[in-house]
Amino acid sequence: MRNCYIHSAVSISAQNTFASEDFLLDVIAHNTKKTQAIYPNFKDFIAPIAARRMQTAVKMGVVTANKALQIAELNQPDAIITGTGMGCITDTEKFLNSIITNNEAYLTPTSFIQSTHNTVCAQIALGLKCNAFNNTYTHGNLSFESTLIDAQLLIQQQEAKHILVGGVDELGTEFVEYVQMMEAKESKGIKVPFSEGATFAVLSSEKKVNAIKLQAITTILEASKEEIILKLEAFLAVNDMDANSIDAIILGNNGDAYDAYYELTATSLFPHAVQIEYKHLIGEFHTASAFAFWLGTKVLQKQHIPKDVLKNSRQNKSIKTVLLYNQFKGKDHSFILLKTC
Amino acid sequence: MQVKELREELKEKIIEQLNLEELSVSDIKDDDALFGDGLCLDSIDALELIVMLDKDYGIQLTDPKEGQEVFKSITVLADYIAERTNK
Amino acid sequence: MPNEPTNKDTAPRVAVTGMGIISAIGNSVQENMEALLASKSGIGSISKINTVHADQIRVGEVAFSNDELISQQQLSDDNNFTRTSLLGLFAAKEALKNAKITGINSYKTGLISSTTVGGMDKTEQHLKTFKTSSESQKYISSHHAGDSTKKIAKQLGITEFSTTISTACSSSTNAIMLGARLIKAGKLDRVIVGGTDALTKFTINGFKTLMILSDEVCTPFDEHRKGLNLGEGAAYLVLESETIAKKENKSIIAYISGYANTNDAFHQTATSENGQGAYLAMQKALDFAHLKPAQIDYINAHGTATPNNDLTESIAIKRVFGDDIPDFSSTKAYTGHTLAASGAVEAVFSILALQAQTVFPNLNFKSKINETGLTPTTEIKKKPINYVLSNSFGFGGNCSTLILSKE
């Protein structure tokens, strides 16, 4: 069975992660309920004739994907796989509201055709003139994780060598208000801002200098805290590891009551591992965990942990293996193992 | 309305409706091809313009193929509208 | 790169052991089969959605109302199932029953579903009352496309693996494909694969803006075709590793022999003039199955009856099959275009064609498309059928082809 290596990872987030070479050096504190990502100047990357129909998700996706390909020195991937929780929600809201406002009259097609979930993936393929395998997952907070599962399968089964994967979600304007309104009714709701972003990566069967290995990934639909501990131990065992093999854990704490999952995992299994959190910096959204994938890759490559993500004291040893754990409201759990080669 | 004014109005509407924000009215010549090599508009733009014709000028095209002729250039489009309205 | 042995040829074969469907032509596999054999279309006037376009469109509606589906499935009164979820659950349950699966977790079993509209049928009714009405608010969380899959997984007791695909009108073909790949790789023993989409105002108006909705029953592959009819429905297949199906003495109703996923990379909605994406999908699926074009006995075409699709699909078929075009038909004039569900709906029809050794006729065809001159099969045709090729193409250039076989 072939290994799966990460040749590049690029992220647009609510921090300056796209344009800056610094690794989360000067972070921005977000004290608002919602926050947009920090956009690059899209006009520098997308021709006006192509950009005129694109909303934020498509722009973020296309630009991030192209940079990921560039860093990996890849012109044409063998597959492009995208994950998105809400899809192109801006155009969805736009078309929906014009139906309601105009009572189904004088509607134009642009926002409808751009509203489908596969628009980002399609526009990446269109820009590259890439006829290869093209897939879009939309499975709540496992949308990005599904792209990794598909990509790993394509590589392991030798159906593809170089694969572009990514997760992207945009904030939109209306639906997010309703979601936040419901969240505000929770006794211990999400504390970090609602946000957006795009993370793309090139995965490959070829080992490169400094490449990081995607060792394993698994997803669990629903489980209690106690079951998660057992499932995590089993996941590590399948990969010939135990809790002591993990040097750092990256957790998806967002301040809500379900952070208890992370707390129990950290204290009961990984008291000696370096503990990293990130959602206070980039916010919460369906594909926020793709940022953790970017973060984990960078930590392993740079052997450095930015102070604003470090949650406990840093041990003075090298970081060879990182575990990512994310969940949402006690559902949509995912474990991802990244390793240096 | 004079045909000349109508042409300028159409240019403004096209830029706005099709989100051609990098263009200004002076960039579109009266006889430039709107589709193909000229302005590079496509089939989706044609559908957008069909709705504009209906909404702003009360002219209904039922067959998208008709659009190919009508939207040939600003001159052709302006003449087409002028013939069908009393503006 | 040295030639390493691949798993492709040594991996277990993927057997289909059950299927379930709900569509405009019936609420079970049996009812769908009867309608196909009787050349009976399910296209009619819209009755369940209040739209100003009602007189100008024809649609393929599922007969059951939401209330009927809810009571049949014994859901609680305060449920927040959307129509997409209700249709999906209905068809998925039939598929499991049909495959005689009782202990869902006696083998590693997954669910891969697909949808384009997700919970839109409820969102478009409640959007403007989300702020004020508690009755509306329960549908905020059911909007996203993964919701229907999660609800179906929960009802079926699936805990192992589940995901949702959304590649427009090729979605459920890609769900079938992922399921087959997971079985071949040994990651799952069994998987329920398919898709579901309800009719919505959103899609009716969307396709209306593209001016590709016909005001009559659609006429696939006809020179004078006026566009498509939207439909709704859901369909699922149960895929099992052949090894396990045989061990369990299951009756195998078909095999997934080949598949391919490509992208036309030409335009967000229009297809390339030579149908490149469609051509590549068919050709790659044949290569994957180690089949020559001449071995295909029947093509269940995508055939939406839009001017663009039917022309370029015909061109692509001619490029793959040359002068020796197999019997082909589109079944969209029976069910309407069921969007994300269409690939799975037509996979069910392809298996029925294998079982009945029958080509289902392409309804409403009168004259050949000038540019391509192809004539679909227009009457029930009994003949030996071993391999069926089924096409599904979508917005965003997504093209997928599936090959199903008897043996």
Side-chain angles (χ1 to χ4, degrees), chain A residues 2 97 104 109 113 118 122-123 126 131 133-134 136 138-139 146 150 154 156-157 174-175 181 185 332, chain C residues 4 51-52 128 130 137 143 150 162-164 166 181 185 187 205 209 261 263 266 268 395-396 398:
Chain A
R2 293 255 183 102
N97 277 303
E104 301 184 73
I113 64 170
N118 61 336
Q123 289 293 321
L126 191 58
N131 290 123
F133 183 100
N134 188 286
T136 298
T138 172
H139 198 60
S146 297
D150 193 348
L154 285 171
Q156 286 175 349
Q157 299 295 302
E174 187 174 357
F175 221 89
M181 176 188 78
K185 295 180 185 178
D332 286 2
Chain C
E4 295 171 42
T51 165
V52 300
K128 294 302 159 193
F130 276 156
Q137 283 162 5
H143 171 78
K150 288 172 187 190
S162 176
T163 192
T164 311
S166 195
R181 289 169 50 219
K187 307 247 174 191
N205 280 283
T209 65
N261 163 325
N263 193 287
F266 175 74
Q268 180 66 16
F395 282 0
N398 280 110

Side-chain angles (χ1 to χ4, degrees), chain B residues 6 8 15 38 40 43 50 53 55-56 76-77 85-87:
Chain B
L6 179 58
E8 297 310 299
I15 288 170
C40 292
S43 54
I50 287 173
L53 270 187
K55 199 175 176 182
D56 297 351
V76 175
L77 179 57
T85 55
N86 297 322
K87 279 188 182 177

Side-chain angles (χ1 to χ4, degrees), chain A residues 18-168:
Chain A
F18 183 83
S20 171
E21 286 300 310
D22 293 338
F23 185 29
L24 296 172
L25 205 56
D26 296 308
V27 301
I28 304 154
H30 295 293
N31 301 315
T32 46
K33 279 177 74 186
K34 277 193 300 195
T35 183
Q36 286 186 334
I38 296 172
Y39 308 139
N41 188 7
F42 289 123
K43 285 182 178 165
D44 296 345
F45 301 92
I46 310 171
I49 196 83
R52 68 200 173 102
R53 289 183 188 142
M54 293 179 177
Q55 298 293 350
T56 315
V58 183
K59 284 181 183 164
M60 291 194 296
V62 167
V63 167
T64 319
N66 284 334
K67 191 170 174 186
L69 289 171
Q70 205 184 348
I71 294 171
E73 296 174 330
L74 184 64
N75 293 323
Q76 286 287 336
D78 302 325
I80 307 173
I81 313 172
T82 302
T84 176
M86 292 299 273
C88 299
I89 188 73
T90 306
D91 272 322
T92 304
E93 289 174 352
K94 206 171 152 190
F95 194 67
L96 201 46
N97 277 303
S98 52
I99 293 175
I100 295 167
T101 315
N102 302 322
N103 194 26
E104 301 184 73
Y106 301 128
L107 301 175
T108 59
T110 302
S111 55
F112 174 67
I113 64 170
Q114 297 289 112
S115 74
T116 54
H117 287 79
N118 61 336
T119 306
V120 178
C121 210
Q123 289 293 321
I124 295 169
L126 191 58
L128 298 171
K129 295 269 167 262
C130 178
N131 290 123
F133 183 100
N134 188 286
N135 215 356
T136 298
Y137 289 92
T138 172
H139 198 60
N141 293 57
L142 297 176
S143 300
F144 173 70
E145 286 73 6
S146 297
T147 74
L148 294 180
I149 289 170
D150 193 348
Q152 198 187 37
L153 191 63
L154 285 171
I155 285 175
Q156 286 175 349
Q157 299 295 302
Q158 301 181 36
E159 295 172 86
K161 277 186 199 161
H162 310 292
I163 303 171
L164 178 66
V165 298
V168 56

